[in-house]
């Protein structure tokens, strides 16, 4: 078992877009964790707050069926959405497919393909979760906390 925790605070001063103070970029605070129960099972959760928006919660689960096949599912609040997806590894290529449900957009498919360098002997084992930003990628089935960038 392994626990990873992380937090990020973006734009704490709420910088203005222009020289006038009328338009400001929002501040955002995100905190989350990822818990690896075993080599096959990962759970992740995140809370995020953006200026003038309600608190958003996200959770995700990944189950590694085989080393080359992972199944993922996730839920988020504000707006409510749910996702289910899978990742297939073929040599140095990862293919990710997800279906999401959004209360406004309804069912949305997402497809991602990425190439990665093979591991060198003696290097740490590759993380089982996708190493790209999961907020808007094919691994949307796991919310953004599943990203090692944010969860470590």
């Amino acid at each position: 078992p392994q626990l990873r925790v992380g937090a990020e605070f973006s734009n704490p001063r709420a910088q203005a877009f222009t020289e006038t103070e009328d338009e400001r970029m929002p501040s955002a605070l995100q905190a989350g964790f990822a818990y690896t129960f075993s080599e096959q099972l990962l759970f992740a959760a995140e809370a995020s707050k953006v200026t003038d928006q309600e608190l958003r919660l996200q959770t995700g689960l990944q189950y590694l069926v085989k080393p080359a096949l992972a199944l993922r599912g996730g839920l988020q609040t504000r707006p409510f959405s749910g996702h289910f997806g899978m990742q297939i590894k073929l040599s140095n290529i990862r293919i990710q497919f997800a279906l999401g449900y959004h209360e406004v957009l309804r069912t949305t498919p997402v497809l991602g393909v990425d190439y990665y360098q093979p591991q060198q002997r003696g290097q740490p084992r590759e993380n089982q979760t996708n190493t790209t930003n999961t907020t808007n990628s094919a691994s949307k089935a796991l919310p953004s906390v599943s990203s090692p960038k944010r969860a470590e």
Side-chain angles (χ1 to χ4, degrees):
Q2 179 184 21
L3 176 67
R4 293 175 289 171
V5 178
E8 176 183 359
F9 190 26
S10 304
N11 197 31
R13 293 183 47 216
Q15 295 290 329
F17 280 118
T18 62
E19 291 180 15
T20 66
E21 297 295 315
D22 296 346
E23 298 178 29
R24 293 191 166 275
M25 294 174 49
S27 296
L29 176 62
Q30 298 174 309
F33 72 92
Y35 186 77
T36 304
F37 289 94
S38 67
E39 291 209 16
Q40 288 84 20
L41 189 61
L42 170 84
F43 174 77
E46 177 182 274
S48 59
K49 176 72 173 110
V50 177
T51 309
D52 299 330
Q53 293 182 11
E54 293 185 44
L55 180 71
R56 180 186 343 195
L57 303 174
Q58 299 174 300
T59 62
L61 193 63
Q62 173 177 281
Y63 178 67
L64 196 62
V65 178
K66 295 181 177 184
L69 176 64
L71 300 178
R72 298 174 174 159
L75 296 173
Q76 123 180 338
T77 63
R78 314 238 189 279
F80 174 79
S81 65
H83 297 84
F84 174 77
M86 61 190 284
Q87 172 180 277
I88 299 171
K89 290 183 181 181
L90 305 170
S91 185
N92 298 353
I93 297 175
R94 283 186 286 236
I95 301 170
Q96 301 173 71
F97 177 74
L99 281 176
Y101 177 81
H102 185 277
E103 55 190 27
V104 175
L105 301 174
R106 302 291 179 215
T107 303
T108 306
V110 181
L111 177 66
V113 178
D114 61 320
Y115 172 83
Y116 63 96
Q117 294 292 327
Q119 273 183 264
Q120 300 294 323
R121 287 185 174 237
Q123 288 186 340
R125 200 172 125 224
E126 179 193 353
N127 194 315
Q128 293 174 350
T129 59
N130 182 10
T131 57
T132 60
N133 182 346
T134 59
T135 302
N136 293 313
S137 71
S139 57
K140 182 71 172 181
L142 271 184
S144 61
V145 304
S146 66
S147 173
K149 292 180 194 173
R150 196 164 293 153
E152 290 185 322

